[in-house]
Amino acid sequence: MTAKVLLTGKTHNTNGRNGAARSSDGFLDIKLPQPHPAAENLFGAAWSACYMGAIELAASQKKIKLPAELSVDAEIDLNLADGAYFLAARLNVSLPGLDREVAQELIHAAHGICPYSKATRGNIAVETNLV
């Protein structure tokens, strides 16, 4: 099977007091005077945006109308144990007005669709929560 590249995100990061991250398309231009917690925040923003798209895709496949107020809050923890750094994450999903069982079904399906969820599966502890 040959994969078709749908999009390539390109960023350039610089270090130091005037550190920054900029995307080649100009949509991202952010100051990063220190690498942490910026890295965790950026990862959380990217993952939650992707996860929201996965929820939308899952809903369209199941012919479920989503509430306009769909939101995903990502919490990315940087941890240290025995001298090694590692991440843990929580994706807190709000689907107001949607039946709880249906919402849980969409959250589960999205976790199987989202490329960020696939990339982290088995590598970091991840909780998905309906809030």
Side-chain angles (χ1 to χ4, degrees):
M1 178 173 97
T2 303
K4 178 182 177 184
V5 176
L6 300 177
L7 176 74
T8 300
K10 295 180 184 179
T11 58
H12 177 74
N13 290 295
T14 54
N15 195 15
R17 279 179 54 156
N18 296 316
R22 291 178 184 85
S23 62
S24 61
D25 61 9
F27 283 109
L28 178 68
D29 188 355
I30 186 169
K31 293 180 182 182
L32 301 173
Q34 62 187 76
H36 298 288
E40 290 73 27
N41 289 337
L42 290 169
F43 182 58
W47 190 356
S48 58
C50 181
Y51 197 76
M52 206 167 358
I55 291 171
E56 291 170 344
L57 179 58
S60 71
Q61 290 172 343
K62 298 174 184 293
K63 310 239 185 300
I64 297 169
K65 182 170 173 34
L66 287 176
E69 300 82 20
L70 162 64
S71 66
V72 178
D73 293 323
E75 298 174 355
I76 309 298
D77 300 325
L78 175 63
N79 300 288
L80 176 64
D82 300 323
Y85 295 97
F86 63 97
L87 299 175
R90 287 166 305 287
L91 299 174
N92 301 311
V93 181
S94 176
L95 290 160
L98 204 57
D99 176 78
R100 189 162 187 81
E101 189 173 309
V102 171
Q104 291 285 16
E105 183 181 325
L106 290 176
I107 289 170
H108 179 75
H111 205 49
I113 294 169
C114 175
Y116 282 78
S117 294
K118 289 178 183 180
T120 59
R121 188 167 295 121
N123 295 312
I124 70 172
V126 179
E127 291 177 26
T128 54
N129 304 304
L130 178 61
V131 294

